Amino acid sequence: MSTPYDLRKVLAELKEMPGEYHETNVEIDPHAELSGVYRYIGAGGTVKRPTQEGPAMMFNNVKGFPDTRVLTGIIASRNRVGKILHHDPKHLGRLLKDSVQNPVKPVKVSKAEAPAQEVIHLATDEGFDIRKILAAPTNTEYDAGPYITMGMVFGSDPEKTMSDVTIHRMVLEDEDTIGMYIMPGGRHIGHFQKQYEALNKPMPITINIGLDPAISIGTTFEPPTTPLGYNELWIAGALRQEPVQLVDGVAVDEVGIARSEFIIEAEILPHKTMQEDINTNTGKAMPEFPGYNGDANPAVNVVKVKAITHRKDRPIMQTTIGPSEEHVSMAGIPTEASILDLVDKAIPGKVTNVYNPPAGGGKLMSILQIHKETEADEGIQRQAAILALSAFKELKTVILVDDDVDIFDMNDVMWTLNTRFQGNKDIIVLPGMRNHPLDPSERPEYDPSSIRFRGMSSKTILDGTVPFDLKDDFIRADFKEVPDWEKYLE
């Protein structure tokens, strides 16, 4: 029987793929320097230029943490995600859509079978300090503190009838306290936490770090694709065709992901919040996916740590740069799957593919490839855009293109908007809609006529498809097909 998938198995596969993985023994400071270095090497996304798409990177010599390694950028490339999931990168959205519809549920294993519990630190131990155990970096010199950026939070409702796993930004505040930002609405963990608050009880959770990327990507789905009661670990199981392994906690009544590198066992305290940047007072949290430093929240949830467990052999602290291509993979590919799921049901065969590009951080923009067969299909493209906007409320811009356009090539998409688009007739604006509060333009001061409260936006559809009756006037120059063209490079 083969070894179950986990982060180490994926890294072993990546090491066999030229250009996909790099490690260094040069000492690195986790405070701003680590992210500052990877910004140049492979961050991509909406990170301030210069940046680029590059290899995943392991830092083996982390200042202050001689027994821990730090990994970043493992999914900061769509092509690399395709290799990790053994699938065509251009059709990852359909892979995830199919995985949602064919879930594989987790299984429980014993503590002896859980490498994540090889070493145990209890909060009651003398000298316990999460800041000395977790090599959590800061993205910038102005961050509110060291952040857990790739920690999957597992929680359940009080009756243990439903569970869920989500990702949140979490800052290390003191020796046993984490500040967790739970975005209002849409997060099932937040729903469960409100149930615990109604009972005036702390909510037990585990924070799982260092995971198979199938888990990181599969667990970032949101409603309506994964409704309340659907645990996204089922998707990760489907992606690997093997169940994710869970293990009972050592200090809280909740399960953790058994093949994690680290598991933090903790409780979210009821009716208690704290200032996110209480240690720095910079007013900033950390860089977020739109490319700007997020404002520190004055009232994040207070999480009290009860234990930290980890692997014995140099555990890997996994992290990401907030606006990097890694966020695009985690947020964008599941969104593509959600849109495909909805449009395939409503207008089957008309949307051939969907891409959420780095320009929108994986959340704010979608490009839809449209197939028109008859004149009766004219207008169906705009219906598809409306469906996309309803499938994902944080989507702000939808670009529609014909099926002869490569949606993964932004030059081809922009060519469409320059040769198959007229602004006075092909722009549709939907004002006063709910969107993502991290977009800094979504504030009343920017547009008081349509933005009443922060997090509202005017959503835009750019229709770059050719009217069906004019399609013969927009045929691209046809070049000879030369199947063996690569021999001329030998």
Side-chain angles (χ1 to χ4, degrees), residues 430-445:
L430 305 171
M433 299 184 73
R434 176 56 53 182
N435 209 66
H436 202 294
L438 291 176
D439 176 352
S441 72
E442 296 176 3
R443 62 181 74 193
E445 305 94 309

Side-chain angles (χ1 to χ4, degrees), residues 72-134:
T72 190
I74 190 168
I75 53 175
S77 157
R78 190 183 185 99
N79 285 332
R80 186 154 61 245
V81 173
K83 292 175 181 178
I84 288 170
L85 297 181
H86 310 140
H87 198 79
D88 180 354
K90 292 189 175 183
H91 297 286
L92 291 170
R94 291 209 174 272
L95 172 67
L96 264 70
K97 179 183 80 72
D98 293 343
S99 297
V100 171
Q101 296 169 353
N102 298 279
V104 175
K105 296 186 178 182
V107 296
K108 187 85 71 74
V109 300
S110 69
K111 296 183 186 304
E113 298 172 285
Q117 292 182 342
E118 290 173 341
V119 179
I120 298 172
H121 306 270
L122 298 176
T124 53
D125 293 343
E126 184 177 352
F128 179 85
D129 192 330
I130 59 176
R131 298 165 299 184
K132 295 178 181 179
I133 300 172
L134 300 168

